[in-house]
């Protein structure tokens, strides 16, 4: 009798401790039944729209379709130490699987080690983890994404008969993908007629830091800037803001990635040349399906093997003003009404987006 009471008191204390951890780390649990199996989704940052707009909702939706699972969600806000605590909190609360998009691809090896020590499999989501044993990796061919960006930029500069050079605004130096994007882009830019004037690795993929850096380069290079390789739409937005603030006209050719709504709107208005549309729904859905299989202890298979883990790399396509309708609109990612707000209505009409 006393034993039973003590046990229930301990269970209650443990529950309170988990609630406290959850509250202090920003981990968000969705409310499935109390017997639900827990799966953690750890996303890296909040300056890029994709994570809250697509990855999280698509993942949660698919998991909920597959049974009684509780997704413990957290966003690290570009902070590797915060992500480490979020992972520890998730492990302490008894998750069966970790789906991890690391802020820092190297530092996150300790998260994988901690999970593995508890017998919890880890799916590397979008960004690989350098170290530790992964159960699965789902991403894109990130070097190819860089090639697509670089190729589109060079082809457009050639078509315009441009002269001058390129500023490279790369992604976060702690994100393994950013290095892949950069080397893929360089493979296209280096043999071209457009020398790299200067390059910058944007800490945390921060649009503000990209903007500040580009502002400084405008002072130095002015009219010699023919193109800006921006690794994603967030940094493209920062670069374009700096160019506009300095009244650079016409704007250089600017690249991007992620098909963010703001990026698509800048493409419609002509401020940004292209973006990369990644199959994020397929990515999140596959991660959810693999996570559920792993939670059940079922085997998982990939198309290829990367760092010793089964892996799937999904496809990505270039979007310019010419194919907005048959990519992001056709796939139901955005409606024409969402893109063509009053500010963009005239540009949309001119581009045949209706
Ligand atoms: C990369 C990711 C991109 C972009 C960027 C900034 O790892 O592949 O899609 O979101 O991070 O978060």
């Amino acid at each position: 009798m006393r034993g039973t009471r003590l046990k229930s008191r301990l269970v209650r204390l443990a529950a309170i401790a988990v609630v406290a951890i959850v509250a202090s780390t920003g981990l968000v649990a969705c409310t499935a039944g109390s017997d639900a199996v827990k799966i953690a989704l750890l996303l890296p940052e909040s300056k890029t729209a994709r994570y809250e707009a697509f990855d999280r909702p698509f993942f949660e939706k698919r998991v909920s379709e597959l049974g009684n699972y509780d997704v413990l969600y957290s966003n690290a806000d570009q902070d590797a130490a915060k992500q480490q605590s979020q992972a520890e909190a998730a492990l302490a609360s008894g998750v069966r699987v970790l789906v991890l998009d690391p802020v820092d691809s190297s530092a996150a090896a300790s998260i994988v080690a901690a999970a593995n020590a508890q017998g919890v499999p880890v799916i590397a989501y979008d960004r690989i983890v350098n170290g530790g044993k992964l159960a699965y990796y789902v991403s894109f061919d990130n070097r190819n994404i860089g090639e697509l960006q670089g190729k589109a930029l060079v082809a457009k500069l050639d078509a315009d008969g441009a002269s001058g050079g390129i500023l490279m605004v790369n992604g976060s130096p702690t994100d393994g993908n950013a290095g892949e994007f950069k080397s893929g882009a360089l493979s296209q830019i280096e043999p071209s007629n457009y020398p790299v004037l200067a390059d910058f690795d944007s800490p945390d993929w921060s649009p503000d830091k990209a903007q500040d850096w580009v502002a400084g380069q405008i002072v130095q290079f002015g009219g010699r800037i023919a193109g800006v390789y921006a690794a994603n739409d967030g940094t493209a937005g920062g670069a374009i803001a700096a160019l506009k603030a300095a009244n650079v006209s016409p704007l250089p050719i600017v690249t991007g990635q992620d098909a963010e709504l703001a990026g698509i709107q800048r493409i419609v208005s002509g401020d940004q040349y292209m973006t990369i549309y990644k199959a994020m729904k397929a990515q999140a859905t596959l991660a959810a399906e693999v996570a559920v299989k792993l939670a059940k202890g079922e085997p998982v298979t990939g198309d290829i093997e990367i760092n010793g883990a089964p892996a799937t790399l999904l496809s990505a396509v270039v979007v310019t003003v010419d194919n907005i309708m048959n990519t992001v609109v056709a796939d139901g990612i955005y409606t024409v009404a969402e893109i063509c707000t009053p500010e963009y209505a005239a540009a949309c009409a001119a581009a045949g987006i209706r």
Side-chain angles (χ1 to χ4, degrees):
M1 184 64 186
R2 249 187 91 198
T4 319
R5 228 180 300 141
L6 187 66
K7 224 202 269 153
S8 70
R9 184 131 187 267
L10 284 176
V11 168
R12 229 176 315 128
L13 281 176
I16 291 168
V18 168
V19 168
I21 294 169
V22 166
S24 68
T25 55
L27 207 76
V28 184
C30 68
T31 43
S34 58
D35 54 341
V37 170
K38 291 176 185 161
I39 295 174
L41 176 64
L42 301 154
L43 295 183
E45 55 125 326
S46 46
K47 297 193 179 186
T48 298
R50 59 170 286 183
Y51 302 109
E52 302 296 330
F54 300 117
D55 298 277
R56 177 189 183 179
F58 286 140
F59 182 88
E60 289 180 340
K61 178 165 182 291
R62 187 67 186 128
V63 166
S64 71
E65 287 164 1
L66 293 171
N68 188 20
Y69 297 93
D70 209 351
V71 175
L72 266 63
Y73 172 71
S74 46
N75 188 313
D77 296 318
Q78 314 70 242
D79 181 341
K82 184 169 178 180
Q83 186 165 60
Q84 176 83 38
S85 337
Q86 290 173 332
E88 282 161 13
L91 289 170
S93 75
V95 293
R96 206 71 76 71
V97 182
L98 278 190
V99 180
L100 170 66
D101 190 338
V103 174
D104 183 319
S105 305
S106 299
S110 64
I111 295 178
V112 178
N116 287 351
Q118 269 183 240
V120 173
V122 179
I123 300 173
Y125 185 78
D126 200 72
R127 302 177 184 172
I128 194 84
V129 180
N130 300 320
K133 173 130 187 49
L134 296 173
Y136 206 88
Y137 176 48
V138 53
S139 188
F140 298 85
D141 181 341
N142 293 304
R143 191 182 145 88
N144 179 245
I145 288 178
E147 288 166 4
L148 292 173
Q149 293 171 311
K151 201 170 179 181
L153 174 58
V154 169
K156 174 68 173 154
L157 292 172
D158 283 348
D160 288 356
S163 63
I166 290 172
L167 293 180
M168 283 194 89
V169 185
N170 303 302
S172 164
T174 67
D175 172 1
N177 287 353
E180 301 273 296
F181 302 145
K182 179 173 19 177
S183 74
L186 276 173
S187 75
Q188 305 298 309
I189 293 170
E190 275 172 343
S192 79
N193 293 325
Y194 315 100
V196 175
L197 299 171
D199 72 315
F200 177 63
D201 291 342
S202 313
D204 307 331
W205 288 94
S206 162
D208 297 346
K209 290 174 187 158
Q211 179 172 348
D212 288 350
W213 181 78
V214 171
Q217 304 314 301
I218 296 167
V219 175
Q220 192 168 344
F221 297 108
R224 286 163 60 204
I225 305 168
V228 178
Y229 166 81
N232 78 346
D233 288 343
T235 51
I240 290 166
L243 292 159
K244 287 192 161 179
N247 294 317
V248 176
S249 176
L251 286 174
I253 304 305
V254 182
T255 65
Q257 170 176 195
D258 287 338
E260 287 190 2
L261 183 56
I264 296 290
Q265 288 174 321
R266 286 191 298 266
I267 290 173
V268 169
S269 67
D271 290 348
Q272 184 174 325
Y273 173 57
M274 59 79 74
T275 187
I276 297 279
Y277 168 44
K278 298 157 100 166
M280 279 178 279
K281 182 173 185 187
Q283 185 181 23
T285 302
L286 177 62
E289 288 165 359
V290 172
V292 165
K293 277 195 185 149
L294 290 170
K296 290 185 188 159
E298 290 174 9
V300 292
T301 52
D303 296 341
I304 46 170
E305 201 174 280
I306 295 180
N307 287 8
T312 299
L313 300 183
L314 299 157
S315 62
V317 293
V318 171
V319 175
T320 65
V321 74
D322 299 327
N323 63 347
I324 287 174
M325 285 304 284
N326 46 35
T327 54
V328 288
V329 175
D331 285 1
I333 299 292
Y334 307 119
T335 62
V336 167
E338 281 168 328
I339 298 169
C340 303
T341 53
E343 196 186 336
Y344 297 95
C348 275
I353 298 170
R354 58 175 83 89

